[in-house]
Amino acid sequence: RRAVERDELVIRYQPKVEIATGRVVGAEALLRWRLPGHGDIPPSRFIPLAEETNLILDIGEWVLNRVCMDYRQWKTAGSEPGRISLNLSLRQLRQASFILRCRSVFRRHGVSPTALELEITETTLMADTKNTLRLLEELYGMGLHLSIDDFGTGYSSLSALQQFPIGTLKIDQSFVRDVDRNAGNATLVRTMIEMGRSLGMVVVAEGVESAQQLLFLRDNSC
């Protein structure tokens, strides 16, 4: 709570690179807690607590405002930042005024919803399928791009996933990490890429950290 009050939260942007051309085509907004004397605290340490205390609602709105401010500044400076993605929690999605708050933030900063992508985990998608589908269709109708985050780590059925207006499938880094050393992971990642493409989705691989991983993904048209 004090971190929010003292403005200790910061956003870091991780670039998204189009493998075929090497161009940066967007970024993912990553939240960090810059705690004086302790450095940057990763979200895995504080987001679960923020969820538990409902602070995630204030933090989520702060992130959306910050990303829109940064995006507006980049555009004003003549940059073309591409589409910026940010994470959406289940509590945010269940907030009664969430859609109205989103519209208000976009209007305030003069940013089109088409500039952003909301990332939703499989677990969040499947928590309350009927209501989630309704809300995501509203967000999609605003022009927001929607993405399944950490794909492969949840328990969703493919028939259920097809109901949602999802444009991007993100392969979890736990699969990408060993893709050049583990034949099972290689097969899974290859299958996910093919499935995503056959469904008309953009496929993003997370956590690419070696030339071997990049080569595998390029060879399999990620």
Side-chain angles (χ1 to χ4, degrees), residues 119-174:
E119 298 188 357
I120 305 119
T121 64
E122 277 187 274
T123 310
T124 298
L125 274 178
M126 304 314 296
D128 181 358
T129 309
K130 188 177 177 182
N131 280 328
T132 302
L133 178 59
R134 179 180 55 79
L135 289 166
L136 293 186
E137 284 180 337
E138 265 196 82
L139 292 168
Y140 181 75
M142 284 168 58
L144 281 156
H145 201 78
L146 301 172
S147 167
I148 304 178
D149 197 14
D150 302 338
F151 184 73
T153 61
Y155 298 95
S156 56
S157 70
L158 295 181
S159 59
L161 286 180
Q162 279 187 292
Q163 298 176 46
F164 297 103
I166 301 294
T168 300
L169 183 154
K170 291 187 71 181
I171 301 172
D172 188 68
Q173 62 180 331
S174 61

Side-chain angles (χ1 to χ4, degrees), residues 8 17 60 132 191:
E8 292 173 352
V17 177
T132 302
T191 303

